[in-house]
Short mmCIF file of all heavy atoms in Angstrom, two decimals:
data_model
loop_
_atom_site.label_atom_id
_atom_site.label_comp_id
_atom_site.label_asym_id
_atom_site.label_seq_id
_atom_site.Cartn_x
_atom_site.Cartn_y
_atom_site.Cartn_z
N ASN W 96 89.75 169.93 253.63
CA ASN W 96 90.49 169.84 254.89
C ASN W 96 89.78 170.60 256.01
O ASN W 96 89.69 170.13 257.15
CB ASN W 96 91.91 170.38 254.70
CG ASN W 96 92.74 169.48 253.80
OD1 ASN W 96 92.48 168.28 253.69
ND2 ASN W 96 93.74 170.05 253.15
N ASN W 97 89.28 171.79 255.68
CA ASN W 97 88.59 172.61 256.67
C ASN W 97 87.32 171.92 257.13
O ASN W 97 86.99 171.91 258.32
CB ASN W 97 88.29 173.98 256.07
CG ASN W 97 87.87 174.99 257.11
OD1 ASN W 97 86.76 174.92 257.62
ND2 ASN W 97 88.73 175.95 257.42
N ARG W 98 86.62 171.33 256.18
CA ARG W 98 85.37 170.64 256.48
C ARG W 98 85.62 169.47 257.44
O ARG W 98 84.85 169.23 258.38
CB ARG W 98 84.75 170.13 255.18
CG ARG W 98 83.44 169.38 255.35
CD ARG W 98 82.28 170.30 255.33
NE ARG W 98 81.03 169.61 255.54
CZ ARG W 98 79.85 170.20 255.54
NH1 ARG W 98 79.78 171.50 255.32
NH2 ARG W 98 78.74 169.53 255.75
N LYS W 99 86.68 168.73 257.21
CA LYS W 99 87.02 167.60 258.08
C LYS W 99 87.26 168.07 259.51
O LYS W 99 86.80 167.45 260.47
CB LYS W 99 88.26 166.89 257.55
CG LYS W 99 88.02 166.04 256.31
CD LYS W 99 89.31 165.39 255.84
CE LYS W 99 89.08 164.58 254.57
NZ LYS W 99 90.37 164.01 254.05
N ARG W 100 87.98 169.16 259.65
CA ARG W 100 88.27 169.71 260.98
C ARG W 100 86.98 170.06 261.72
O ARG W 100 86.80 169.72 262.89
CB ARG W 100 89.13 170.96 260.86
CG ARG W 100 90.57 170.72 260.45
CD ARG W 100 91.31 172.04 260.46
NE ARG W 100 92.70 171.87 260.10
CZ ARG W 100 93.63 172.80 260.27
NH1 ARG W 100 93.28 173.95 260.83
NH2 ARG W 100 94.87 172.59 259.92
N LEU W 101 86.12 170.78 261.03
CA LEU W 101 84.91 171.26 261.68
C LEU W 101 83.91 170.13 261.93
O LEU W 101 83.17 170.17 262.91
CB LEU W 101 84.27 172.37 260.83
CG LEU W 101 85.11 173.65 260.72
CD1 LEU W 101 84.42 174.65 259.80
CD2 LEU W 101 85.34 174.27 262.09
N THR W 102 83.89 169.14 261.06
CA THR W 102 83.02 167.99 261.28
C THR W 102 83.42 167.28 262.57
O THR W 102 82.55 166.89 263.38
CB THR W 102 83.10 167.01 260.09
OG1 THR W 102 82.66 167.68 258.91
CG2 THR W 102 82.21 165.80 260.32
N TYR W 103 84.71 167.14 262.80
CA TYR W 103 85.18 166.54 264.05
C TYR W 103 84.88 167.46 265.24
O TYR W 103 84.45 167.01 266.30
CB TYR W 103 86.68 166.27 263.99
CG TYR W 103 87.26 165.81 265.31
CD1 TYR W 103 86.92 164.56 265.84
CD2 TYR W 103 88.10 166.63 266.05
CE1 TYR W 103 87.41 164.15 267.07
CE2 TYR W 103 88.60 166.22 267.28
CZ TYR W 103 88.27 164.98 267.78
OH TYR W 103 88.75 164.58 269.00
N ALA W 104 85.08 168.77 265.03
CA ALA W 104 84.86 169.74 266.11
C ALA W 104 83.42 169.73 266.60
O ALA W 104 83.15 170.01 267.77
CB ALA W 104 85.23 171.15 265.63
N PHE W 105 82.48 169.40 265.71
CA PHE W 105 81.06 169.38 266.07
C PHE W 105 80.49 167.96 266.10
O PHE W 105 79.30 167.76 265.87
CB PHE W 105 80.27 170.27 265.12
CG PHE W 105 80.69 171.72 265.16
CD1 PHE W 105 81.01 172.40 264.00
CD2 PHE W 105 80.80 172.39 266.38
CE1 PHE W 105 81.41 173.73 264.04
CE2 PHE W 105 81.20 173.72 266.43
CZ PHE W 105 81.51 174.39 265.26
N SER W 106 81.35 167.00 266.36
CA SER W 106 80.89 165.61 266.54
C SER W 106 80.13 165.51 267.87
O SER W 106 80.22 166.40 268.73
CB SER W 106 82.08 164.66 266.55
OG SER W 106 82.91 164.93 267.68
N SER W 107 79.40 164.43 268.05
CA SER W 107 78.63 164.25 269.28
C SER W 107 79.52 164.32 270.52
O SER W 107 79.17 164.94 271.53
CB SER W 107 77.88 162.91 269.25
OG SER W 107 76.92 162.90 268.22
N MET W 108 80.69 163.69 270.45
CA MET W 108 81.60 163.71 271.58
C MET W 108 82.02 165.14 271.93
O MET W 108 82.02 165.53 273.10
CB MET W 108 82.84 162.87 271.25
CG MET W 108 83.89 162.85 272.36
SD MET W 108 85.42 162.04 271.83
CE MET W 108 86.09 163.29 270.71
N ARG W 109 82.36 165.91 270.91
CA ARG W 109 82.82 167.29 271.16
C ARG W 109 81.67 168.17 271.62
O ARG W 109 81.84 169.03 272.49
CB ARG W 109 83.43 167.87 269.88
CG ARG W 109 84.72 167.23 269.43
CD ARG W 109 85.85 167.45 270.41
NE ARG W 109 85.97 168.85 270.80
CZ ARG W 109 86.76 169.29 271.76
NH1 ARG W 109 87.49 168.44 272.44
NH2 ARG W 109 86.83 170.57 272.05
N LEU W 110 80.48 167.96 271.08
CA LEU W 110 79.33 168.78 271.48
C LEU W 110 78.96 168.55 272.94
O LEU W 110 78.55 169.49 273.63
CB LEU W 110 78.13 168.49 270.57
CG LEU W 110 78.23 169.03 269.14
CD1 LEU W 110 77.03 168.57 268.32
CD2 LEU W 110 78.32 170.55 269.12
N LYS W 111 79.11 167.32 273.40
CA LYS W 111 78.85 167.05 274.82
C LYS W 111 79.79 167.86 275.70
O LYS W 111 79.41 168.35 276.77
CB LYS W 111 79.00 165.56 275.11
CG LYS W 111 77.88 164.70 274.57
CD LYS W 111 78.10 163.23 274.91
CE LYS W 111 76.98 162.37 274.32
NZ LYS W 111 77.19 160.93 274.63
N ILE W 112 81.03 168.00 275.26
CA ILE W 112 82.01 168.79 276.00
C ILE W 112 81.66 170.27 275.94
O ILE W 112 81.67 170.97 276.96
CB ILE W 112 83.44 168.54 275.45
CG1 ILE W 112 83.84 167.08 275.68
CG2 ILE W 112 84.45 169.49 276.08
CD1 ILE W 112 85.12 166.67 274.97
N LEU W 113 81.33 170.75 274.74
CA LEU W 113 81.00 172.18 274.58
C LEU W 113 79.72 172.54 275.31
O LEU W 113 79.54 173.69 275.73
CB LEU W 113 80.87 172.52 273.09
CG LEU W 113 82.17 172.48 272.27
CD1 LEU W 113 81.87 172.72 270.78
CD2 LEU W 113 83.18 173.51 272.76
N LEU W 114 78.82 171.56 275.48
CA LEU W 114 77.56 171.84 276.17
C LEU W 114 77.81 172.34 277.60
O LEU W 114 77.03 173.15 278.12
CB LEU W 114 76.69 170.59 276.20
CG LEU W 114 75.35 170.71 276.95
CD1 LEU W 114 74.49 171.81 276.36
CD2 LEU W 114 74.60 169.38 276.93
N GLU W 115 78.89 171.89 278.24
CA GLU W 115 79.18 172.33 279.60
C GLU W 115 79.40 173.85 279.63
O GLU W 115 78.96 174.53 280.56
CB GLU W 115 80.39 171.58 280.16
CG GLU W 115 80.16 170.09 280.33
CD GLU W 115 78.90 169.80 281.14
OE1 GLU W 115 78.75 170.35 282.25
OE2 GLU W 115 78.05 169.00 280.66
N SER W 116 80.08 174.38 278.64
CA SER W 116 80.28 175.83 278.54
C SER W 116 78.95 176.54 278.26
O SER W 116 78.66 177.59 278.82
CB SER W 116 81.28 176.16 277.44
OG SER W 116 82.56 175.65 277.74
N VAL W 117 78.14 175.93 277.38
CA VAL W 117 76.84 176.51 277.05
C VAL W 117 75.95 176.57 278.29
O VAL W 117 75.26 177.57 278.54
CB VAL W 117 76.15 175.69 275.93
CG1 VAL W 117 74.73 176.19 275.70
CG2 VAL W 117 76.95 175.78 274.63
N LYS W 118 75.97 175.54 279.12
CA LYS W 118 75.15 175.50 280.34
C LYS W 118 75.56 176.59 281.32
O LYS W 118 74.72 177.19 281.99
CB LYS W 118 75.24 174.12 280.99
CG LYS W 118 74.45 173.05 280.25
CD LYS W 118 74.85 171.65 280.64
CE LYS W 118 74.58 171.33 282.08
NZ LYS W 118 74.89 169.91 282.40
N GLN W 119 76.85 176.87 281.39
CA GLN W 119 77.32 177.96 282.26
C GLN W 119 76.75 179.30 281.79
O GLN W 119 76.35 180.14 282.60
CB GLN W 119 78.84 177.99 282.28
CG GLN W 119 79.48 176.81 282.98
CD GLN W 119 80.99 176.79 282.84
OE1 GLN W 119 81.60 177.80 282.45
NE2 GLN W 119 81.61 175.66 283.15
N VAL W 120 76.72 179.48 280.47
CA VAL W 120 76.17 180.71 279.91
C VAL W 120 74.66 180.77 280.17
O VAL W 120 74.11 181.84 280.45
CB VAL W 120 76.46 180.83 278.40
CG1 VAL W 120 75.84 182.10 277.83
CG2 VAL W 120 77.97 180.82 278.16
N CYS W 121 73.98 179.63 280.11
CA CYS W 121 72.54 179.59 280.41
C CYS W 121 72.27 180.05 281.85
O CYS W 121 71.29 180.76 282.12
CB CYS W 121 71.99 178.18 280.21
SG CYS W 121 71.79 177.71 278.47
N THR W 122 73.15 179.67 282.76
CA THR W 122 73.02 180.11 284.15
C THR W 122 73.21 181.62 284.25
O THR W 122 72.45 182.31 284.95
CB THR W 122 74.05 179.40 285.04
OG1 THR W 122 73.82 177.99 284.99
CG2 THR W 122 73.95 179.86 286.48
N THR W 123 74.19 182.14 283.53
CA THR W 123 74.42 183.59 283.50
C THR W 123 73.21 184.31 282.91
O THR W 123 72.79 185.36 283.40
CB THR W 123 75.68 183.92 282.66
OG1 THR W 123 76.80 183.20 283.19
CG2 THR W 123 75.99 185.41 282.69
N PHE W 124 72.65 183.73 281.85
CA PHE W 124 71.46 184.29 281.22
C PHE W 124 70.29 184.36 282.21
O PHE W 124 69.61 185.38 282.33
CB PHE W 124 71.08 183.44 280.00
CG PHE W 124 69.80 183.86 279.31
CD1 PHE W 124 69.82 184.81 278.31
CD2 PHE W 124 68.58 183.29 279.67
CE1 PHE W 124 68.64 185.18 277.67
CE2 PHE W 124 67.40 183.66 279.05
CZ PHE W 124 67.44 184.62 278.04
N GLU W 125 70.09 183.27 282.92
CA GLU W 125 68.98 183.21 283.89
C GLU W 125 69.18 184.24 285.01
O GLU W 125 68.22 184.93 285.40
CB GLU W 125 68.87 181.81 284.48
CG GLU W 125 67.69 181.64 285.41
CD GLU W 125 67.60 180.25 286.01
OE1 GLU W 125 68.26 179.32 285.48
OE2 GLU W 125 66.86 180.09 287.01
N ASN W 126 70.39 184.36 285.52
CA ASN W 126 70.68 185.35 286.56
C ASN W 126 70.43 186.77 286.07
O ASN W 126 69.87 187.62 286.79
CB ASN W 126 72.13 185.22 287.03
CG ASN W 126 72.39 183.93 287.77
OD1 ASN W 126 71.45 183.32 288.30
ND2 ASN W 126 73.63 183.50 287.82
N TYR W 127 70.81 187.02 284.82
CA TYR W 127 70.59 188.35 284.21
C TYR W 127 69.10 188.65 284.11
O TYR W 127 68.65 189.75 284.47
CB TYR W 127 71.25 188.37 282.83
CG TYR W 127 70.94 189.60 281.99
CD1 TYR W 127 71.66 190.78 282.18
CD2 TYR W 127 69.95 189.57 281.02
CE1 TYR W 127 71.39 191.91 281.41
CE2 TYR W 127 69.68 190.69 280.24
CZ TYR W 127 70.40 191.85 280.45
OH TYR W 127 70.12 192.97 279.68
#
């Protein structure tokens, strides 16, 4: 059950969404 949840959480669709948060952190990293 846990595996199913996480497989969906890291699907291509979800990763595209999470990438927006990652890009914001990349901007913070660059400024730092």
Side-chain angles (χ1 to χ4, degrees):
N96 292 335
N97 193 286
R98 180 88 182 182
K99 286 179 182 176
R100 288 184 179 193
L101 294 177
T102 299
Y103 173 69
F105 299 128
S106 65
S107 295
M108 179 188 72
R109 292 295 311 171
L110 288 175
K111 287 181 182 179
I112 295 170
L113 291 175
L114 178 58
E115 295 307 308
S116 296
V117 173
K118 285 163 64 176
Q119 291 174 14
V120 178
C121 285
T122 299
T123 304
F124 176 89
E125 184 181 344
N126 292 338
Y127 172 82

